[in-house]
Amino acid sequence: MSRTPHRNLWWLAIALTLLLNGCGFHLQTGASIPPRLVGLRVAGTGPSGGTLAQAVDRALQRRGNHAQSGGPLLRIDHAYVGQRIISISPGSGVALEFLDTLHAEISVVGSDHKVLLAPQPLLVENSFSYNSGNPLATNEQQITSQRLLMEQGARQILRRVLNSPDFRQPVP
């Protein structure tokens, strides 16, 4: 009798696995590096270009890419972060909520300087709230928000580049 509950759980697990696979559910995995992008290097320009390029490079390294001097180049140009106030306290007139916006232009060029992915704009937005009760926490919030913005930008760049049909097709 003691085997029946275990056997039932085993069958339940198999049934759930089959159902989830049948409906299109898959665990999220990182996109693999297409063969044409192996050894991809990253360079950034603009006030936030270096920080964003570092975030993209770290994400690529986690996926197994190691930059090579002769590899293609992912360019992140004119990267900057803008910030605007989106909410003000009616009582004190103090800013309560901000919107950080990351702007850049991304492209990929081959080692022969041929454009592999035409320049395209990047826009990432992230809001954060101000804690008027603890001004020191606000500085920490802003630093955390900026880091989060760069990580979101890096993920968006990699999604676009690694999943681009230009790189998923076999090399002619």
Side-chain angles (χ1 to χ4, degrees):
M1 287 276 184
S2 65
R3 291 184 187 214
T4 304
H6 293 292
R7 187 172 289 160
N8 288 343
L9 284 175
W10 186 78
W11 283 110
L12 179 64
I14 288 174
L16 283 174
T17 302
L18 291 173
L19 285 171
L20 289 174
N21 281 331
C23 74
F25 174 82
H26 298 286
L27 292 175
Q28 183 178 358
T29 58
S32 62
I33 307 293
R36 292 177 66 188
L37 293 178
V38 170
L40 184 66
R41 299 171 293 138
V42 183
T45 65
S48 300
T51 307
L52 183 55
Q54 289 173 354
V56 171
D57 194 45
R58 281 191 304 272
L60 280 168
Q61 287 176 10
R62 284 191 299 267
R63 293 171 188 248
N65 182 70
H66 300 287
Q68 298 172 359
S69 61
L73 176 66
L74 168 59
R75 295 180 48 96
I76 303 170
D77 293 318
H78 317 296
Y80 69 94
V81 173
Q83 186 179 77
R84 65 185 174 132
I85 299 170
I86 57 175
S87 176
I88 297 176
S89 169
S92 65
V94 174
L96 296 176
E97 192 174 9
F98 296 89
L99 179 68
D100 287 341
T101 309
L102 171 63
H103 299 268
E105 184 178 86
I106 61 170
S107 62
V108 178
V109 294
S111 56
D112 57 356
H113 302 289
K114 180 181 173 188
V115 175
L116 302 176
L117 181 67
Q120 49 185 264
L122 173 74
L123 173 66
V124 180
E125 295 180 324
N126 189 25
S127 64
F128 74 97
S129 298
Y130 175 73
N131 179 357
S132 61
N134 188 353
L136 293 177
T138 304
N139 292 335
E140 192 63 35
Q141 286 174 324
Q142 188 167 6
I143 291 167
T144 302
S145 177
Q146 294 281 330
R147 187 175 13 115
L148 185 69
L149 191 65
M150 292 300 159
E151 290 171 4
Q152 289 172 342
R155 281 193 302 272
Q156 191 176 119
I157 289 170
L158 288 181
R159 248 190 330 267
R160 284 194 202 175
V161 172
L162 299 180
N163 295 322
S164 170
D166 296 331
F167 301 119
R168 289 291 168 191
Q169 300 170 355
V171 179

